[in-house]
């Protein structure tokens, strides 16, 4: 597979892309009203608190929607792969783009339960999700 | 009652360059062709143009997405302007029109030249198609959330939304394919269209899957070309050559999360609230619309707009387009009468507004919709980018 294109890291998104080092999925959360704020912004739209910071979540979620890519956008991108939006278990309107891995392309489905795994790439840990087997 | 500013404006001329899969002239030359044609069509001269606008403005990244901006065209044509504006942070492609309406209302200008130029066919032959394909470059902005997941094109994001729509609506591939078949049939009658050889549903079903459920024939065609329109103050418009095409109502709201991942309803995206805004600014109803030019970057967008404009119920488009009769040129609501972006070429909603005016002025030749159409609904884009216009011939 070709190298993943990586995001530019800033103060707001750094935890999301690096806490995988410790096996943790970091999502910004309001300390005052406990609302998850994603993409990460240092402001809570519910209670107007500025006390919003990354917090480790369970890493579990469900597949909201998905697509199986068949087009070889690059010469080495021949194999089909799954792109999905996963809602975290803690708050269903927080949606994370990802690849679903360790999953047959014919098996991925709406509402499928998944859990996070991380792939280290350069200085980042890219969150991916795989089916929950247990 | 409040007077909505768009009601004091009208489209008075349109122009389009040659549209091709590889131009023999520069992007600026194509833009000049479209601009001069639009100015002449309105019965104006360069000296009468006192505003210009474009979307998203010059983007010099080699992608051909928007190679010409206001400054380049102003200098090429030596225009003397009271106002100009480009920029991508607007309600989709028609954001340039909505800004022009505001500028006219503010008294800054009277005749605004609005243009959209694409040079993607040439760019894809000579440069990288987009920055995600450029190795080692880290991505910033909203698409950085998708970038690490081999999301190399808008087709993949839209396939995510489209798949959810298919799941919820139960629309069948042979129903989706009616959009592509209809537009190719219309394109066959449009001398400027890129693809004119008719296709069948079987051809559609045999076309390669890009990303489930999106097929090749669900996608628009990258081209080189430019389209231009003149938007004039209504009192000026009434003195010009063509019957004014009134901008009866616009929809341009952002009452939703502006995000490609966190939109409240991924399968309807921003469209319902934008269409609702448009209908709140007019006495006309969906049943009054004679023809529709509905954004077709992907056929999913067109299907979604049919529902969100209220031409059919939510998840009812599958029945509305089944068999293709109702959306055909002789149907109850002819859709994308020039072949749209999927067969005509990706002029990115400006091909659609050009076609809307062509039909409303009765100039569409072999593809002219019969019965003297007077009202056309038009729309831009998908995801959080949504804008609509209801155009009415005076």
């Amino acid at each position: 597979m070709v190298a993943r294109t990586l995001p530019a890291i800033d103060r707001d998104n750094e935890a999301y892309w690096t806490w995988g080092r410790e096996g943790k999925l970091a999502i910004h959360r309001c300390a005052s009203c406990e609302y998850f704020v994603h993409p990460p912004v240092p402001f809570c739209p519910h209670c107007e608190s500025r006390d919003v910071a990354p917090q480790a979540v369970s890493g579990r979620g469900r597949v909201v929607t998905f697509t199986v890519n068949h087009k070889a956008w690059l010469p080495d991108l021949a194999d089909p792969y799954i792109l999905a939006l996963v809602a975290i278990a803690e708050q269903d309107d927080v949606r994370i783009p990802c690849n679903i891995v360790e999953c047959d392309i014919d098996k991925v489905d709406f509402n499928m339960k998944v859990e996070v795994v991380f792939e280290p790439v350069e200085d980042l840990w890219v969150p991916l999700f795989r089916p929950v087997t247990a | 009652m409040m007077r909505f500013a768009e009601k004091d404006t009208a489209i008075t001329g349109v122009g389009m360059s040659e549209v091709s899969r590889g131009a023999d002239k520069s992007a600026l030359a194509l833009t000049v062709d479209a601009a001069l044609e639009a100015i002449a069509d309105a019965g104006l001269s360069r000296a009468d143009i006192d505003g210009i606008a474009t979307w998203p403005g010059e983007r010099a990244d080699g992608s051909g997405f928007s190679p010409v901006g206001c400054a380049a065209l102003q200098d090429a044509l030596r225009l003397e302007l009271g106002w100009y504006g480009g920029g991508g942070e607007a309600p989709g492609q028609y954001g340039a029109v909505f800004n022009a309406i505001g500028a006219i209302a503010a008294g800054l200008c009277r005749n605004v030249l609005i243009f959209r130029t694409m040079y993607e066919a040439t760019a894809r032959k000579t440069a990288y198609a987009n920055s995600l394909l450029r190795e080692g470059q880290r991505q910033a902005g909203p698409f950085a959330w998708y970038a690490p997941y081999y999301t190399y094109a808008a087709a993949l994001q839209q396939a995510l939304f489209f798949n959810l729509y298919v799941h919820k609506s139960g629309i069948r591939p042979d129903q989706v394919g009616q959009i592509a078949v209809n537009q190719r049939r219309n394109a066959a009658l449009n001398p400027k269209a890129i693809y004119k050889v008719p296709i069948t549903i079987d051809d559609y079903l045999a076309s390669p899957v890009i990303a489930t459920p999106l097929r090749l024939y669900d996608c628009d065609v990258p081209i080189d070309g430019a389209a231009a329109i003149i938007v004039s103050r209504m009192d000026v418009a009434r003195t010009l050559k063509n019957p004014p095409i009134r901008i009866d109502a616009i929809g341009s709201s952002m009452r939703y999360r502006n995000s490609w991942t966190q939109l409240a309803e991924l399968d309807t995206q921003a469209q319902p609230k934008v269409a609702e805004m448009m209908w709140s600014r007019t006495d006309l109803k969906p049943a009054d619309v004679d023809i529709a030019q509905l954004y077709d970057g992907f056929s999913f967008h067109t299907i979604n707009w049919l529902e969100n404009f209220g031409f059919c119920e939510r998840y009812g488009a599958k029945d509305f387009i089944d068999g293709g009769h109702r959306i055909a040129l002789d149907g109850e609501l002819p859709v994308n009468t020039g072949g749209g972006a999927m067969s005509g070429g990706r002029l990115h909603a400006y091909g659609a507004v050009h076609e809307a005016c062509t039909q409303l002025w009765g100039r569409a030749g072999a593809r002219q919709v019969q019965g003297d159409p007077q009202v056309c609904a038009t729309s831009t884009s998908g995801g959080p980018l949504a804008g609509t216009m209801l155009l009415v011939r005076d």
Side-chain angles (χ1 to χ4, degrees):
Chain A
M1 207 64 170
V2 300
R4 293 184 190 277
T5 304
L6 296 176
I9 299 305
D10 59 33
R11 288 189 180 196
D12 290 330
N13 72 14
E14 184 182 10
Y16 182 86
W17 294 109
T18 61
W19 279 24
R21 184 195 311 120
E22 313 292 335
K24 292 175 180 168
L25 180 63
I27 304 292
H28 269 50
R29 193 178 205 188
C30 174
S32 176
C33 75
E34 303 194 319
Y35 179 75
F36 286 97
V37 179
H38 189 78
V41 177
F43 170 75
C44 177
H46 277 186
C47 74
E48 301 192 353
S49 167
R50 269 73 157 178
D51 191 4
V52 177
Q55 175 177 318
V57 294
S58 67
R60 297 225 168 189
R62 72 170 181 102
V63 172
V64 174
T65 189
F66 65 93
T67 182
V68 180
N69 179 77
H70 291 279
K71 182 175 165 64
W73 302 96
L74 294 167
D76 297 327
L77 204 64
D79 293 335
Y81 56 90
I82 303 163
L83 175 71
L85 289 176
V86 165
I88 65 170
E90 288 79 3
Q91 189 172 301
D92 196 62
D93 65 357
V94 171
R95 304 198 199 97
I96 298 174
C98 62
N99 296 128
I100 304 294
V101 296
E102 301 176 40
C103 178
D104 191 300
I105 59 163
D106 298 328
K107 294 283 171 14
V108 63
D109 206 355
F110 297 95
N111 299 315
M112 189 173 80
K113 302 288 186 212
V114 290
E115 65 186 2
V116 73
V117 291
F118 295 96
E119 183 177 302
V121 187
E122 298 179 16
D123 55 332
L124 305 182
W125 278 259
V126 174
L128 308 169
F129 285 80
R130 67 182 176 201
V132 175
T133 49
Chain B
M1 185 184 161
M2 177 176 179
R3 178 76 186 172
F4 297 120
E6 68 265 34
K7 295 187 191 298
D8 294 323
T9 65
I11 299 174
T12 52
V14 299
M16 187 184 288
S17 72
E18 282 295 314
V19 176
S20 72
R21 294 282 276 160
D24 60 4
K25 52 173 77 171
S26 72
L28 183 56
L30 295 172
T31 313
V32 168
D33 287 349
L36 292 181
E37 186 174 290
I39 293 168
D41 185 34
L44 296 169
S45 67
R46 286 186 291 146
D48 299 311
I49 300 300
D50 53 6
I52 58 174
T54 191
W55 184 97
E58 184 174 356
R59 192 180 285 181
D61 61 2
S63 70
F65 184 70
S66 186
V68 178
C70 287
L73 187 60
Q74 184 267 352
D75 194 55
L77 299 182
R78 304 292 169 98
L79 301 174
E80 294 184 20
L81 305 176
W83 174 83
Y84 63 101
E89 293 198 2
Q93 293 85 335
Y94 293 156
V97 181
F98 307 155
N99 289 343
I101 291 166
I104 290 169
L108 298 169
C109 46
R110 304 188 305 165
N111 295 301
V112 183
L113 166 63
I114 301 172
F115 67 99
R116 177 91 182 93
T117 304
M118 307 291 273
Y119 213 54
E120 292 186 306
T122 290
R124 288 182 187 207
K125 291 173 189 165
T126 59
Y128 59 94
N130 66 56
S131 64
L132 292 173
L133 297 171
R134 220 166 24 180
E135 203 176 334
Q137 180 171 308
R138 293 204 169 184
Q139 298 291 311
F143 296 105
W145 296 98
Y146 280 110
Y149 305 110
Y150 312 113
T151 311
Y152 291 108
L156 275 154
Q157 289 151 346
Q158 291 299 332
L160 283 175
F161 305 149
F162 183 24
N163 204 22
L164 185 60
Y165 175 86
V166 168
H167 176 67
K168 287 190 175 181
S169 69
I171 194 170
R172 299 189 311 265
D174 68 284
Q175 293 170 322
V176 174
Q178 292 295 344
I179 299 294
V181 170
N182 172 67
Q183 294 183 192
R184 188 64 64 87
R185 193 166 50 225
N186 296 343
L189 304 173
N190 179 0
K192 283 206 167 172
I194 296 286
Y195 293 126
K196 300 192 190 73
V197 178
I199 56 171
T200 66
I201 281 294
D202 288 341
D203 295 328
Y204 170 82
L205 295 173
S207 78
V209 173
I210 303 294
T212 55
L214 186 76
R215 288 174 162 81
L216 178 64
Y217 284 168
D218 288 311
C219 303
D220 60 8
V221 187
I223 52 98
D224 295 340
I229 63 173
I230 309 296
V231 171
S232 303
R233 208 172 69 197
M234 185 57 80
D235 60 329
V236 177
R238 293 225 158 95
T239 70
L240 300 182
K241 194 169 88 178
N242 296 314
I245 293 177
R246 296 189 289 104
I247 302 177
D248 190 63
I250 62 171
S252 65
S253 70
M254 194 158 75
R255 297 186 177 89
Y256 43 83
R257 291 190 69 182
N258 193 302
S259 165
W260 292 86
T261 53
Q262 317 296 324
L263 274 161
E265 298 293 341
L266 291 166
D267 61 325
T268 64
Q269 308 172 72
Q271 299 175 8
K273 291 186 194 303
V274 172
E276 184 183 305
M277 177 181 181
M278 187 190 84
W279 291 122
S280 77
R281 297 166 74 86
T282 178
D283 294 330
L284 295 172
K285 305 287 181 226
D288 298 317
V289 174
D290 299 314
I291 51 177
Q293 312 295 341
L294 305 177
Y295 190 79
D296 62 337
F298 303 102
S299 51
F300 167 51
H301 292 139
T302 306
I303 291 166
N304 219 345
W305 278 117
L306 283 169
E307 295 178 1
N308 287 304
F309 267 125
F311 298 128
C312 55
E313 292 179 348
R314 162 71 55 224
Y315 303 132
K318 61 181 188 288
D319 299 321
F320 193 83
I321 64 178
D322 195 25
H325 309 297
R326 275 182 276 195
I327 59 172
L329 287 181
D330 58 355
E332 67 190 69
L333 183 70
V335 169
N336 295 353
T337 50
M342 286 162 52
S343 284
R346 173 178 157 84
L347 274 161
H348 220 200
Y350 282 87
V353 74
H354 184 283
E355 175 67 13
C357 296
T358 301
Q359 288 283 349
L360 295 177
W361 277 323
R363 300 176 183 168
R367 68 182 189 283
Q368 178 65 45
V369 170
Q370 297 305 299
D372 193 26
Q374 294 181 49
V375 180
C376 182
T378 69
S379 68
T380 68
S381 236
L385 299 178
T388 61
M389 285 196 286
L390 195 58
L391 303 177
V392 180
R393 197 196 61 221
D394 217 25

